[in-house]
Amino acid sequence: MEDEIVYVGSEPAARSLCDFLHRRGLDARILDDPNVFVRISSLGTYRYRVAVPDTAAPSARAALGDWRAFHAPRARALAGRVRRLFLASLLPPAAWWILHQSAPESLPAFSLEWALALWAASFVVVARLEHHLTPPPGP
């Protein structure tokens, strides 16, 4: 009996899907077990394959749809949070650029390096503020 790959993705997602499929009574397993050198050299982009016996593939694909639907609201919320963080962190560099355009002698020269450094610092500050101001998830 052959195995059929039903999902390719990150390690946490592959493990979550395997657990989900096991709870549904399907024999799912992760085919990949890369060594530490592969993990480091891939910089976290290594894709893990989840396989099931070919006889269980149709029901596994149906369960995959349920798994995606279950996680979709959380993924949308996370994407919205990252989008807000990114946009809020762009405000200080944008304000600096506007001020520099109106009064170039009052501020240091506007450069890409300074803008990136200011954006990175702004991102960290905004992320920490949101982390401390966001209530923990409910029970």
Side-chain angles (χ1 to χ4, degrees):
M1 187 165 28
E2 293 289 317
D3 284 342
E4 187 170 331
I5 297 170
V6 293
Y7 180 77
V8 177
S10 68
E11 181 182 15
R15 292 195 187 288
S16 171
L17 178 60
C18 276
D19 291 343
F20 187 81
L21 293 175
H22 285 145
R23 285 193 303 271
R24 295 248 174 139
L26 297 169
D27 182 29
R29 64 188 182 98
I30 296 176
L31 296 179
D32 305 291
D33 187 20
N35 63 35
V36 68
F37 299 110
V38 172
R39 289 180 185 198
I40 291 171
S41 65
S42 68
L43 299 175
T45 61
Y46 189 86
R47 294 295 177 220
Y48 291 78
R49 298 171 297 160
V50 175
V52 296
D54 57 356
T55 56
S59 53
R61 291 191 194 287
L64 178 62
D66 295 342
W67 177 76
R68 285 184 172 145
F70 176 76
H71 288 290
R74 197 170 120 204
R76 275 194 298 277
L78 179 61
R81 180 175 178 225
V82 169
R83 187 172 34 254
R84 281 190 309 275
L85 285 172
F86 180 76
L87 292 175
S89 67
L90 285 176
L91 292 176
W96 184 29
W97 182 78
I98 291 169
L99 288 173
H100 187 269
Q101 296 303 317
S102 62
E105 65 280 347
S106 64
L107 293 171
F110 187 82
S111 68
L112 181 60
E113 293 84 10
W114 278 106
L116 288 174
L118 183 58
W119 172 77
S122 301
F123 190 84
V124 169
V125 168
V126 169
R128 297 306 297 164
L129 281 173
E130 182 170 329
H131 174 72
H132 289 296
L133 298 176
T134 304

